[in-house]
Amino acid sequence: MVNRLKIALYTLLSGVNVALVGQLKLNEIMVLLSAPFVFDRRDFKAYPMFRKIIVALAALFICQAVTDLFVVNSPSENFLRGWAAIVMSILSFLFLFKTFKDDKIIFFFLCMTLLKNIIWTDENADTDMSYFKFKMVPILSYGVYILSFLLYRSGRWKTVLALLLSYSLLCFARDARSTGMVFFLGAIIIYCFNSGMYLTRDRLLVFGIAGLLLFQFAYVGYVNAVLNHELGGEHASEQIERLDNPYNPLELLMTGRGETFAALAAISDAPLFGHGSWAKDDNLKYYRILLLYQNEEMNEQLVASTDHLIPSHSILLGAWVNCGLGGFIAVLLVFVFLLKMGFYLIANAADTALYPVLVLMTIGVIWTFLFSPLQQLRFNIPAIGAILLRSYYECLPAYNGTAPEALIHETTGFLAPEAEI
């Protein structure tokens, strides 16, 4: 009961901002106050992967502090906000890992997050498409998580596939392409590990090549449908129409996630130590590079009304932009640790009710670290990381607190049983 109360407060209070060291969420104040009571140094020995993630995040903090104080001399307002974000990422991860005792608590977290998204998700959207993407997708995605859990628990994994595929098609049709791709790939993975398919490296190679060909074929069909105004919307059609070759998916990625590629220019200007916390793009050099990728003209009115930070829209590259090569390596390690646990769970947790959620979150980790803002390391990654970590140690055979990590290296050649929940 106490853990449920903690989760309810953590989720529902995350929609309330507090003007303290920039903008903190009210749930982060709760996490900060509870930190002395949930921290247990014995966890570092009992859960080696937990220790590695905390150490990597601590290394990120050190790199950020060195850059801010000794290299770029960031203003105190900026570096305090940057440091607070990293500290809150660490404390949130710790709080949630200690609170997620079992699948029931995790399921309750999903339910409360759905409620939070209904109440608090940003509704500032100027078109029907952006309303769906920024308001409805957070609600619907967690609704699909919850339904997938319930259906999979009752052994109806084929119904889960139908649900995921239907939702992915809805997302593609409503210009939420990245979400649609995550749920589509999730359906494929769940099918592979529940259909009795024996996966070898050779078969994975064949399936990979076939999947790329199928993806390109489907992408061509999607582009034609958007250009004929049968799918997507005004935003999608505008993006595709300004591409030199709309049938090249890399061009669409570059225009849709131009901030990620503009960050490479910022990295090349300060590769070792970065530009510091909340570094501003004072002469708009990187903003102009972003516009080149997006094939857009300079909007003078928008420029005058906005303080432009150096664009990145990538956790990995954003860490490099802010605190240099050391920060990039630290975040890359967190990324690798999460993927290591996620891939193990995909291969070995097909008989657990949480399996669809674990698959979708693992795929989501890849997209988030590559193409989502650095702030997601504070807001989104702690919950995903805590869920993967708790599920990982519950899935390890006969885990007794010594973390037999030698068991995690082989993730192929696994014949998944039927989903007996």
Side-chain angles (χ1 to χ4, degrees), residues 10 28 31 88-97 378 382:
Y10 180 87
E28 292 176 325
V31 167
M88 292 316 307
S89 177
I90 295 172
L91 295 181
S92 296
F93 176 71
L94 170 64
F95 173 85
L96 291 171
F97 174 64
R378 164 189 171 192

Side-chain angles (χ1 to χ4, degrees), residues 313-319 331 368-370 372-374 376-377 381:
H313 222 281
S314 167
I315 292 178
L316 288 168
L317 297 185
V331 169
T368 300
F369 271 81
L370 293 179
S372 292
L374 182 60
Q376 291 301 316
L377 191 65
I381 293 300

Side-chain angles (χ1 to χ4, degrees), residues 289-342:
I289 294 174
L290 169 62
L291 294 179
L292 289 176
Y293 279 106
Q294 295 180 338
N295 290 325
E296 294 181 358
E297 299 295 331
M298 176 76 76
N299 186 329
E300 299 293 344
Q301 183 177 1
L302 178 62
V303 170
S305 63
T306 307
D307 290 331
H308 284 279
L309 302 179
I310 296 177
S312 62
H313 222 281
S314 167
I315 292 178
L316 288 168
L317 297 185
W320 202 336
V321 167
N322 282 14
C323 45
L325 180 60
F328 169 76
I329 294 174
V331 169
L332 179 62
L333 288 174
V334 176
F335 182 42
V336 170
F337 297 148
L338 294 179
L339 285 187
K340 195 173 183 180
M341 294 186 294

Side-chain angles (χ1 to χ4, degrees), residues 83-154:
W83 297 3
I86 301 173
V87 170
M88 292 316 307
S89 177
I90 295 172
L91 295 181
S92 296
F93 176 71
L94 170 64
F95 173 85
L96 291 171
F97 174 64
K98 297 291 287 186
T99 307
F100 290 153
K101 298 295 185 181
D102 51 43
D103 285 2
K104 292 181 180 179
I105 297 298
I106 294 175
F107 178 73
F108 183 72
F109 169 80
L110 299 177
C111 294
M112 295 307 300
T113 302
L114 171 63
L115 179 60
K116 184 269 294 185
N117 288 340
I118 293 173
I119 298 173
W120 296 114
T121 305
D122 184 15
E123 296 186 31
N124 294 324
D126 54 6
T127 67
D128 290 341
M129 289 296 173
S130 58
Y131 180 84
F132 177 83
K133 185 174 182 178
F134 297 110
K135 174 63 179 180
M136 296 307 301
V137 164
I139 296 172
L140 293 176
S141 294
Y142 273 89
V144 172
Y145 284 162
I146 292 167
L147 288 176
S148 298
F149 178 96
L150 296 174
L151 290 170
Y152 200 83
R153 184 177 62 180
S154 63

Side-chain angles (χ1 to χ4, degrees), residues 46-64:
Y47 305 102
M49 197 65 78
F50 170 79
R51 179 183 68 244
K52 292 176 182 179
I53 292 174
I54 294 296
V55 169
L57 290 173
L60 175 65
F61 178 86
I62 293 172
C63 292
Q64 187 70 78

Side-chain angles (χ1 to χ4, degrees), residues 85-265:
I86 301 173
V87 170
M88 292 316 307
S89 177
I90 295 172
L91 295 181
S92 296
F93 176 71
L94 170 64
F95 173 85
L96 291 171
F97 174 64
K98 297 291 287 186
T99 307
F100 290 153
K101 298 295 185 181
D102 51 43
D103 285 2
K104 292 181 180 179
I105 297 298
I106 294 175
F107 178 73
F108 183 72
F109 169 80
L110 299 177
C111 294
M112 295 307 300
T113 302
L114 171 63
L115 179 60
K116 184 269 294 185
N117 288 340
I118 293 173
I119 298 173
W120 296 114
T121 305
D122 184 15
E123 296 186 31
N124 294 324
D126 54 6
T127 67
D128 290 341
M129 289 296 173
S130 58
Y131 180 84
F132 177 83
K133 185 174 182 178
F134 297 110
K135 174 63 179 180
M136 296 307 301
V137 164
I139 296 172
L140 293 176
S141 294
Y142 273 89
V144 172
Y145 284 162
I146 292 167
L147 288 176
S148 298
F149 178 96
L150 296 174
L151 290 170
Y152 200 83
R153 184 177 62 180
S154 63
R156 292 182 285 177
W157 65 271
K158 293 181 180 179
T159 307
V160 172
L161 297 185
L163 174 65
L164 299 185
L165 290 174
S166 298
Y167 181 55
S168 69
L169 292 176
L170 174 64
C171 289
F172 283 124
R174 302 291 294 178
D175 199 23
R177 294 185 297 257
S178 58
T179 301
M181 184 59 66
V182 168
F183 281 82
F184 180 77
L185 292 176
I188 293 176
I189 291 173
I190 292 170
Y191 171 79
C192 290
F193 285 95
N194 281 275
S195 62
M197 183 180 298
Y198 187 80
L199 296 179
T200 65
R201 286 183 173 84
D202 290 340
R203 286 189 177 183
L204 285 175
L205 178 61
V206 172
F207 290 157
I209 295 174
L212 288 175
L213 294 175
L214 179 62
F215 169 79
Q216 184 61 39
F217 178 79
Y219 177 74
V220 170
Y222 168 78
V223 170
N224 288 332
V226 171
L227 293 177
N228 292 328
H229 303 286
E230 298 170 353
L231 276 181
E234 182 179 349
H235 177 258
S237 60
E238 287 179 353
Q239 276 191 333
I240 289 178
E241 286 172 356
R242 65 177 180 240
L243 300 179
D244 294 331
N245 179 11
Y247 298 104
N248 182 353
L250 291 179
E251 284 196 30
L252 180 60
L253 178 64
M254 291 174 69
T255 191
R257 288 293 183 268
E259 298 93 342
T260 300
F261 297 93
L264 295 174

